[in-house]
Amino acid sequence: MQLNPKAIFLDMDGTILNHQNKVSILTKEIIDKLRAKGIYVFIATGRAHDEIEEIVPEGFKVDGVISSNGMAGYIDGEAVFEHSLSRELVDILIERARVNKVYYELFPYRAARISLMQDQRYMLDEIQDPKPDSVGINEWLSRKKAIKEEISWKTEVSGDKFSKFYFFARTKEHIHHWKEELEQLKREIDFTMSVSSEHNVEVMVANVNKATGIQQMIKSFNVKIEEVMAIGDSDNDIQMLQSVGYPVAMKNAPDRIKKMVSDVTDFTCDEDGVYHYLCKCFP
């Protein structure tokens, strides 16, 4: 396959982010080089838009950002599109998460993520050390940071613009039971579910994912989907990788992801795998 993409979409966690939740200077430098050559470079992440700035190097620039697994898209910080969860679904999910004692973070647009004070006790229990062996260090550190610095603890939810729910459990059994509960709820209210580890699940608007976000974003750049490269590593990247002309998986991706792509990086996210891959493809 001739490699001549006009645009590249990069996942963050497990892709350009290492397991300490940082983007390296080398990754910034190769992105700068590609953009100077006229290749558009974008972020396509499950993270909310306002999480990105603190985990990238100073001066980090891309042509656009797809955040919250396709729920929103931004160019130069301005919204190109934003989908919102219904308030009905928000209220139902918080009530059911409480019954099931599932850790949750609700992400409003342009405001701190929300959890309710009445759920704080059981949520703190979910992230008590020691870290379970099966939980990735990056996800564990993110939850610790969220509890300490990022969650706005409220007595009630207000507003009607929400990009996503993030749910976490310290055991696979707990999150599996919660996913089954969500599947039952989907029969009443449709929504999209996405996972990026064995211990989480996220909820977005129905029929929204990274692939739909890419389709919306590239309209502004006169790029066709077959002219797009995407690099990812996990289940929330599947639709994205299936939709683009040149899908690439990280070396650290599970085999089920590697089987659906055109190429695999030679190095992991902790070894600057994206940097080395793009240097090889675009010398």
Side-chain angles (χ1 to χ4, degrees):
M1 180 184 296
Q2 185 177 0
L3 183 57
N4 189 29
K6 291 185 178 179
I8 301 172
F9 285 79
L10 303 172
D11 170 50
M12 295 200 78
D13 290 79
T15 301
I16 64 170
L17 277 178
N18 60 29
H19 283 99
Q20 298 301 312
N21 292 324
K22 293 296 181 182
V23 176
S24 74
I25 291 293
L26 289 176
T27 301
K28 174 194 177 300
E29 289 175 351
I30 190 62
I31 290 173
D32 291 343
K33 178 181 176 181
L34 293 175
R35 295 181 71 223
K37 288 185 173 185
I39 299 171
Y40 299 118
V41 182
F42 302 86
I43 296 301
T45 181
R47 290 176 178 259
H49 185 257
D50 60 6
E51 292 184 79
I52 296 173
E53 184 175 358
E54 66 181 28
I55 55 179
V56 298
E58 185 176 352
F60 182 89
K61 298 288 185 182
V62 288
D63 293 286
V65 172
I66 294 170
S67 63
S68 300
N69 291 314
M71 285 287 285
Y74 302 89
I75 299 173
D76 294 328
E78 297 296 323
V80 179
F81 59 90
E82 288 181 342
H83 303 281
S84 294
L85 296 170
S86 72
R87 183 57 194 265
E88 177 190 16
L89 179 59
V90 166
D91 292 340
I92 290 172
L93 286 174
I94 288 177
E95 180 183 353
R96 296 200 182 187
R98 179 177 301 128
V99 170
N100 288 273
K101 289 185 165 52
V102 176
Y103 176 110
Y104 67 88
E105 298 169 17
L106 173 63
F107 286 75
Y109 284 109
R110 287 170 283 281
R113 66 193 77 176
I114 294 170
S115 303
L116 295 186
M117 285 294 301
Q118 63 202 91
D119 303 318
Q120 188 177 56
R121 182 179 296 276
Y122 79 76
M123 287 178 58
L124 288 172
D125 289 341
E126 283 295 284
I127 64 159
Q128 287 300 308
D129 290 326
K131 178 185 77 66
D133 290 341
S134 58
V135 177
I137 185 62
N138 57 327
E139 187 162 32
W140 192 249
L141 291 174
S142 291
R143 301 288 65 74
K144 292 280 193 179
K145 189 171 188 291
I147 286 285
K148 185 177 180 180
E149 303 175 12
E150 297 171 338
I151 291 175
S152 178
W153 296 96
K154 303 285 189 181
T155 56
E156 61 182 18
V157 174
S158 60
D160 60 359
K161 299 288 186 182
F162 305 101
S163 67
K164 69 170 184 175
F165 260 109
Y166 166 90
F167 299 100
F168 170 82
R170 65 184 293 121
T171 69
K172 295 179 184 178
E173 293 78 16
H174 193 181
I175 202 69
H176 178 71
H177 174 79
W178 177 238
K179 290 176 186 175
E180 290 182 335
E181 178 99 358
L182 291 176
E183 289 289 354
Q184 292 294 323
L185 180 58
K186 281 186 69 173
R187 298 178 182 180
E188 305 169 29
I189 305 177
D190 197 14
F191 53 84
T192 293
M193 294 166 54
S194 178
V195 300
S196 57
S197 83
E198 295 179 307
H199 289 265
N200 72 41
V201 60
E202 295 181 301
V203 168
M204 292 82 60
V205 168
N207 304 312
V208 168
N209 52 58
K210 290 185 182 182
T212 63
I214 289 175
Q215 290 279 14
Q216 288 180 272
M217 181 64 75
I218 60 177
K219 291 177 183 178
S220 300
F221 293 85
N222 195 29
V223 173
K224 299 176 182 177
I225 195 69
E226 57 267 26
E227 297 171 325
V228 172
M229 172 189 285
I231 307 180
D233 74 300
S234 64
D235 287 352
N236 70 339
D237 298 315
I238 288 176
Q239 293 97 333
M240 172 176 77
L241 295 172
Q242 289 175 332
S243 70
V244 302
Y246 198 83
V248 179
M250 296 297 294
K251 182 180 180 180
N252 47 277
D255 288 342
R256 65 181 178 276
I257 304 294
K258 294 176 181 177
K259 289 177 181 178
M260 64 178 62
V261 298
S262 301
D263 206 357
V264 177
T265 66
D266 294 325
F267 299 93
T268 69
C269 62
D270 289 320
E271 301 167 322
D272 281 316
V274 168
Y275 165 77
H276 290 292
Y277 183 78
L278 293 176
C279 284
K280 179 177 71 172
C281 292
F282 307 97

